[in-house]
């Protein structure tokens, strides 16, 4: 009985509502002092749809329209701070659906801050106060800070152009004003659900969650810390569970692997993250191919930090672990630091070398920094990359290196494609896509051909990786000629395709474990999130293992349990049983075992380990929990018709009750069985 009823109910719902399935919400994030983002009411917010394609259309929503509140379908080119603050200040708006602008806004669009991670880097009133708060250089001049505003109505991104067109058609059919007067009912409306559980700040939501988990049988967690894992490996294997010898020097090469935008889990990060970590991976591969790396005087550690967008979560945690002896390396082991930042948008092939002017006032640091800069410059000779110094008076751009400098004066350099302000006009936005770093493919290529096609961007990044690899080799004490050290443009092409266009490709499928093949979604995103490891972390881990590891002749059982093999050196290596490529003669794969020095370490802010939720030293970012995220459109009747329908319904109900009462009262008369006249009684 229940099943047909539920099917009928679903059928009725499908006739009333059109669900919008390809959307991305703006969600609530919190730190020690603020809440940012968006949310709907607990039952969702509803409004009559109005399409806004130019600023003049806003007057209907803000003043003239007779049917508030309105749910706005906003053209992506109008999604800016000026327009959003107008909408934020009125009760006539119940929500927003944003259509992606195509092509990307030519003037640029960055909802991030003008001074990213301000207050959590090295510069402060006690250290280089003249550089604090971007006083010297505004790194992200197009940054509107929109991602850091708090909106009390839901905002969704429409990812599918077809769904956007369905909404526009519904608007055209029902909601377009006629001759300056309001349209007639029924009207096309939209309902957005994105109610958030957390409020006020991380301090408040973590305290409430802690109290719930302490005293409640069924605790309800309000928010979760942003967390994941850092990925790291070394050129020469080290004991990951022990401690590196205090005299052993290690060069750290670092980059970030996360990005962000206004909308949840929409973080393509082509220039802000992918260009740098792909270059980093290519440099690591080039170095591992060198025959005498095991003889180098200094070790090299390749480090990929997660959560750097949110006040340096990954790097601050690694520094904390080093200080507390919870990591194989100590800060004293660090010889120098090389960081790859945004590197894809170079002008005239120039790569800028940024250093810290404050620590360089120390004579010994200055000598080491000078040596580092000279080696980098010499390594670019003969390559299509020109390295130039950004200037002694120029501070460091936002970078993981700043968190290490807070703990110790370490000689280091940050490599970028910009001398001062970012070249990237779409920093931390949904438009930081492959097109932003000029990735172009010929038309008509199959997915496999696209994966293998070497783009100009790949060639350019491979040149940067070559220069970095050669410089690292010399810095580590390598004495041989470096001309043979060469990054592979084909490998870079594959990585760019996998991390920016399609994760679910044949190469990525072949290098991951069978039990995590579900991580290979279609469109890559690089948001740090609250469940870990995220797809990006897994893939960086396995790509790095594939490029720098060794295929070993072990069975599946031996690979999964290397501690049972006496010669496995489990403390020095990680083993992974990966899917392998498809057998050309069948549909099955040929799996194999990879041995590498790739490890994961926590990227959870120390503030949560220490329960210092109001910390100003460490990142305190959390993400609110929610029950449901969905969007739908439907036709809404006039208030008069709704009232009439309600009144008629109540009247019918009362009539039905009265009829039932009288029928029941006269049941003996109405339903008595007449006596058979021919019946004879004995």
């Amino acid at each position: 009985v229940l099943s047909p009823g539920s099917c009928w109910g679903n059928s009725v719902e499908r006739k009333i509502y059109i669900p919008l399935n390809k959307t991305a919400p703006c969600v609530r994030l919190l730190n020690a002092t603020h809440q940012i983002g968006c949310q709907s009411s607990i039952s969702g917010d509803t409004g009559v749809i109005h399409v806004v394609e130019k600023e003049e259309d806003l007057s209907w929503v803000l003043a003239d329209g007779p049917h508030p509140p309105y749910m706005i379908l906003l053209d992506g080119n109008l999604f800016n701070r000026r327009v959003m603050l107008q909408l934020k200040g009125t009760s006539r708006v119940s929500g927003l659906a944003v259509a992606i602008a195509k092509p990307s806004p030519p003037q640029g669009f960055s909802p991030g801050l003008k001074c990213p991670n301000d207050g959590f880097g090295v510069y402060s009133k006690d250290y280089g106060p003249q550089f604090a708060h971007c006083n010297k250089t505004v790194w992200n001049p197009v940054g509107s800070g929109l991602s850091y505003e708090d909106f009390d109505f839901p905002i969704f991104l429409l990812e599918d152009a077809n769904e956007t067109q369905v909404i526009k058609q519904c608007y055209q059919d029902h909601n377009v004003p006629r001759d300056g007067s309001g349209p007639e009912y029924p009207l096309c409306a939209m309902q957005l659900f994105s109610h958030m559980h957390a409020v006020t700040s991380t301090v408040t939501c973590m305290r409430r969650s802690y109290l719930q988990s302490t005293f409640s049988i069924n605790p309800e967690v309000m928010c979760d810390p942003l967390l994941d894992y850092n990925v790291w490996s070394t050129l020469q294997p080290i004991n990951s569970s022990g401690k590196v010898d205090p005299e052993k020097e290690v060069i750290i090469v670092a980059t970030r692997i996360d990005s962000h935008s206004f909308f949840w889990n929409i973080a393509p990060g082509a220039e802000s993250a992918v260009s740098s970590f792909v270059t980093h991976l290519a440099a690591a591969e080039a170095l591992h191919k060198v025959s005498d790396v095991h003889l180098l005087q200094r070790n090299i550690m390749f480090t990929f930090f997660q959560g750097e967008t949110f006040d340096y979560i990954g790097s601050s945690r690694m520094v904390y672990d080093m200080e507390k002896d919870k990591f194989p390396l100590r800060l004293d082991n660090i010889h120098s630091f090389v960081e790859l930042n945004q590197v894809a948008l170079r002008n005239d092939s120039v790569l800028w070398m940024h250093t810290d002017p404050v620590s360089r006032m120390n004579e010994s640091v200055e000598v080491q920094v000078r040596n580092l800069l000279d080696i980098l410059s010499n390594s670019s000779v003969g390559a299509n990359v020109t390295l130039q110094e950004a200037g002694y008076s120029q501070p460091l751009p936002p970078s993981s290196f700043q968190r290490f400098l807070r703990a110790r004066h370490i000689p280091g350099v940050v490599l970028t494609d910009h001398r001062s302000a970012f070249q990237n006009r779409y920093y931390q936005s949904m438009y930081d896509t492959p097109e932003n770093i000029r990735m172009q493919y010929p038309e008509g290529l199959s997915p496999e051909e696209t994966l293998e096609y070497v783009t100009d961007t790949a060639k350019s990044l491979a040149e940067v990786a070559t220069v970095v690899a050669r410089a690292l080799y010399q810095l580590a004490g390598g004495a041989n000629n470096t001309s043979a050290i060469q990054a592979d443009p084909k490998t870079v092409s594959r990585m760019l395709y996998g991390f920016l266009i399609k994760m679910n490709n044949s190469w990525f499928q072949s290098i991951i474990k069978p039990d995590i093949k579900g991580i290979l979604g279609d469109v890559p995103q690089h948001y740090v999130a609250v469940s870990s490891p995220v797809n990006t972390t897994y893939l960086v881990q396995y790509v790095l293992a594939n490029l720098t590891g060794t295929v070993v002749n072990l069975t599946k059982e031996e690979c999964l349990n290397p501690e049972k093999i006496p010669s496995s050196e489990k403390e020095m290596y990680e083993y992974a049983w990966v899917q392998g490529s498809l057998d050309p003669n069948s549909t099955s794969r040929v799996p194999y075992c990879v041995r590498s020095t790739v490890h994961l370490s926590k990227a959870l802010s120390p503030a949560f380990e220490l329960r210092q939720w109001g910390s100003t030293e460490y990142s305190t970012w959390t993400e609110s929990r929610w029950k449901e995220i969905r969007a739908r459109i439907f036709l809404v009747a006039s208030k008069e018709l709704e009232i009439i329908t309600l009144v008629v319904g109540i009247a019918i109900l009362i009539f039905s009750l009265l009829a039932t009462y009288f029928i029941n009262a006269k049941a003996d008369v109405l339903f008595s069985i007449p006596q058979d006249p021919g019946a004879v009684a004995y």
Side-chain angles (χ1 to χ4, degrees):
V1 175
L2 289 175
S3 181
S6 62
C7 290
W8 180 83
N10 288 336
S11 176
V12 171
E13 183 174 350
R14 284 198 299 271
K15 289 179 180 178
I16 296 173
Y17 300 105
I18 299 176
L20 304 173
N21 297 317
K22 291 194 174 182
T23 61
C26 159
V27 303
R28 175 168 289 165
L29 300 174
L30 310 99
N31 65 9
T33 55
H34 293 81
Q35 64 179 31
I36 63 171
C38 324
Q39 77 154 355
S40 73
S41 61
I42 195 165
S43 56
D45 288 328
T46 305
V48 174
I49 295 172
H50 191 75
V51 176
V52 175
E53 295 180 326
K54 52 186 185 298
E55 286 205 42
E56 293 75 32
D57 297 336
L58 287 172
S59 60
W60 184 265
V61 173
L62 298 175
D64 302 335
H67 305 118
Y70 285 96
M71 197 63 78
I72 298 174
L73 174 57
L74 188 69
D75 184 271
N77 289 297
L78 293 177
F79 185 55
N80 56 53
R81 185 177 182 85
R82 185 181 67 258
V83 170
M84 291 303 296
L85 291 185
Q86 287 185 65
L87 301 179
K88 184 179 179 180
T90 177
S91 60
R92 291 175 58 90
V93 174
S94 59
L96 212 66
V98 180
I100 295 178
K102 292 187 178 179
S104 302
Q107 72 277 13
F109 174 75
S110 172
L113 299 171
K114 293 184 184 295
C115 189
N117 290 358
D118 185 26
F120 289 86
V122 69
Y123 302 114
S124 66
K125 60 182 177 60
D126 301 317
Y127 187 99
Q130 68 273 30
F131 304 125
H133 313 300
C134 296
N135 286 335
K136 186 79 174 180
T137 305
V138 177
W139 296 106
N140 186 29
V142 297
S144 65
L146 200 58
S147 289
Y148 296 84
E149 290 289 333
D150 182 38
F151 296 92
D152 59 0
F153 52 77
I155 304 176
F156 279 53
L157 177 68
L158 300 172
E159 299 181 75
D160 188 348
N162 292 328
E163 289 188 344
T164 304
Q165 192 53 46
V166 167
I167 299 170
K168 287 184 176 180
Q169 190 59 53
C170 188
Y171 167 79
Q172 291 288 340
D173 294 343
H174 299 279
N175 294 13
V176 174
R178 310 293 179 189
D179 302 321
S181 60
E184 296 181 0
Y185 286 97
L187 298 175
C188 191
M190 184 185 296
Q191 190 171 29
L192 302 178
F193 297 83
S194 64
H195 181 66
M196 300 287 133
H197 292 182
V199 294
T200 309
S201 68
T202 290
V203 176
T204 301
C205 82
M206 290 299 291
R207 185 181 67 246
R208 289 177 178 175
S209 298
Y210 178 71
L211 290 173
Q212 283 262 359
S213 60
T214 304
F215 299 109
S216 175
I217 298 174
N218 298 307
E220 184 174 356
V221 177
M222 308 295 174
C223 63
D224 300 284
L226 295 180
L227 77 148
D228 204 75
Y229 288 90
N230 298 322
V231 182
W232 64 276
S233 76
T234 51
L235 194 60
Q236 301 164 356
I238 63 173
N239 188 338
S240 61
S241 59
K243 290 287 178 289
V244 172
D245 191 295
E247 283 74 43
K248 184 66 176 176
E249 293 183 321
V250 179
I251 301 159
I252 291 186
V253 195
T255 190
R256 67 175 60 190
I257 59 174
D258 69 297
S259 188
H260 180 43
S261 80
F262 186 87
F263 298 99
W264 183 76
N265 207 29
I266 300 295
E271 161 74 338
S272 62
V274 177
S275 68
S276 57
F277 75 69
V278 161
T279 305
H280 188 170
L281 289 164
E285 180 193 33
L287 272 171
H288 271 268
K289 289 179 178 178
V290 179
S291 58
D292 64 337
V293 291
H294 61 286
L295 301 174
L296 292 177
Q297 176 188 348
R298 301 182 184 97
N299 205 348
I300 299 173
M301 186 170 101
F302 306 100
T303 314
F304 301 82
F305 291 120
Q306 261 288 14
E308 295 300 274
T309 304
F310 295 95
D311 300 337
Y312 306 118
I313 294 172
S315 55
S316 63
R317 178 53 187 260
M318 185 170 283
V319 171
Y320 175 82
D321 286 344
M322 287 180 176
E323 290 177 324
K324 302 297 181 183
D325 277 346
K326 296 180 179 179
F327 195 79
L329 266 67
R330 300 176 180 87
L331 290 169
D332 291 340
N333 291 117
I334 301 174
H335 170 268
S336 51
F337 199 103
V338 177
E339 180 168 353
L340 286 160
N341 213 306
Q342 304 178 77
V343 294
L345 299 177
R346 307 198 312 277
N347 278 338
D348 301 322
S349 299
V350 174
L351 203 61
W352 294 96
M353 300 183 291
H354 299 263
T355 57
D356 172 41
V358 180
S359 61
R360 288 181 69 179
M361 293 177 185
N362 180 298
E363 189 175 341
S364 64
V365 172
E366 167 62 20
V367 170
Q368 291 174 284
V369 170
R370 188 74 263 161
N371 178 56
L372 177 56
L373 296 174
D374 290 343
I375 288 175
L376 279 164
S377 297
N378 294 336
S379 299
S380 67
V381 174
N384 190 26
V385 180
T386 304
L387 276 90
Q388 294 185 17
E389 291 185 48
Y392 190 85
S393 61
Q394 177 87 358
L396 286 170
S399 52
S400 307
F401 180 39
Q402 292 200 32
R403 290 302 302 195
F404 284 79
L405 278 176
R406 282 176 73 130
R408 185 173 178 270
H409 281 181
I410 298 170
V413 62
V414 178
L415 302 176
T416 73
D417 54 21
H418 54 89
R419 181 176 187 176
S420 53
F422 295 161
Q423 296 277 22
N424 186 6
R425 294 174 299 138
Y426 304 109
Y427 182 74
Q428 291 184 7
S429 90
M430 55 195 169
Y431 301 114
D432 192 5
T433 58
E435 292 76 21
N436 186 33
I437 58 171
R438 306 167 189 147
M439 279 178 63
Q440 294 179 331
Y441 295 93
E443 291 184 6
L445 295 183
S446 67
E448 202 61 29
E449 290 169 335
T450 310
L451 172 67
E452 301 294 338
Y453 182 81
V454 180
T455 62
D456 290 340
T457 302
K459 294 174 184 175
S460 173
L461 293 179
E463 289 165 354
V464 176
T466 297
V467 170
V468 171
R470 290 175 179 175
L472 290 171
Y473 175 77
Q474 293 181 57
L475 199 60
N480 293 337
N481 191 295
T482 60
S483 59
I485 301 176
Q486 190 76 40
D488 185 1
K490 177 156 278 193
T491 301
V492 176
S493 286
R494 286 176 161 191
M495 289 191 286
L496 288 174
Y497 179 81
F499 285 113
L500 286 175
I501 296 174
K502 189 176 182 182
M503 278 188 170
N504 195 9
N505 61 72
S506 60
W507 185 47
F508 278 5
Q509 288 168 7
S510 70
I511 65 174
I512 64 171
K513 290 181 177 179
D515 58 338
I516 61 167
K517 60 186 179 182
I519 68 169
L520 296 177
D522 278 336
V523 182
Q525 304 296 346
H526 307 293
Y527 173 61
V528 59
V530 296
S531 56
S532 59
V534 295
N535 301 6
T536 305
T537 303
Y538 269 132
L539 288 170
V540 168
Q541 177 188 6
Y542 286 104
V543 168
L544 184 58
N546 177 267
L547 298 180
T548 64
T550 307
V551 177
V552 289
N553 187 22
L554 296 178
T555 65
K556 181 178 180 180
E557 180 66 25
E558 291 171 334
C559 191
L560 295 177
N561 301 283
E563 65 277 357
K564 295 180 180 179
I565 306 170
S567 60
S568 67
E569 297 182 287
K570 182 69 174 74
E571 297 79 15
M572 311 292 280
Y573 297 101
E574 291 287 330
Y575 292 80
W577 185 258
V578 300
Q579 290 194 120
S581 302
L582 284 170
D583 188 329
N585 301 319
S586 72
T587 56
S588 62
R589 295 185 175 274
V590 185
Y592 56 91
C593 186
V594 175
R595 185 185 72 183
S596 71
T597 61
V598 179
H599 306 277
L600 299 180
S601 65
K602 269 188 182 180
L604 169 66
S605 171
F608 298 100
E609 293 273 319
L610 302 169
R611 289 191 177 173
Q612 295 176 359
W613 303 319
S615 173
T616 56
E617 169 74 10
Y618 299 112
S619 170
T620 55
W621 285 105
T622 54
E623 179 185 276
S624 174
R625 287 199 177 185
W626 58 81
K627 274 197 168 63
E628 64 173 345
I629 298 285
R630 61 191 175 102
R632 60 189 185 182
I633 62 172
F634 57 96
L635 294 181
V636 62
S638 66
K639 293 294 182 185
E640 292 80 3
L641 181 57
E642 288 178 348
I643 292 171
I644 291 170
T645 304
L646 176 64
V647 170
V648 170
I650 292 172
I652 291 172
L653 174 64
I654 293 171
F655 174 77
S656 301
L657 292 172
L658 291 172
T660 303
Y661 172 77
F662 284 115
I663 290 171
N664 187 58
K666 302 293 183 180
D668 56 336
V669 176
L670 295 173
F671 303 112
S672 62
I673 300 172
Q675 196 173 23
D676 186 355
V680 178
Y682 293 95

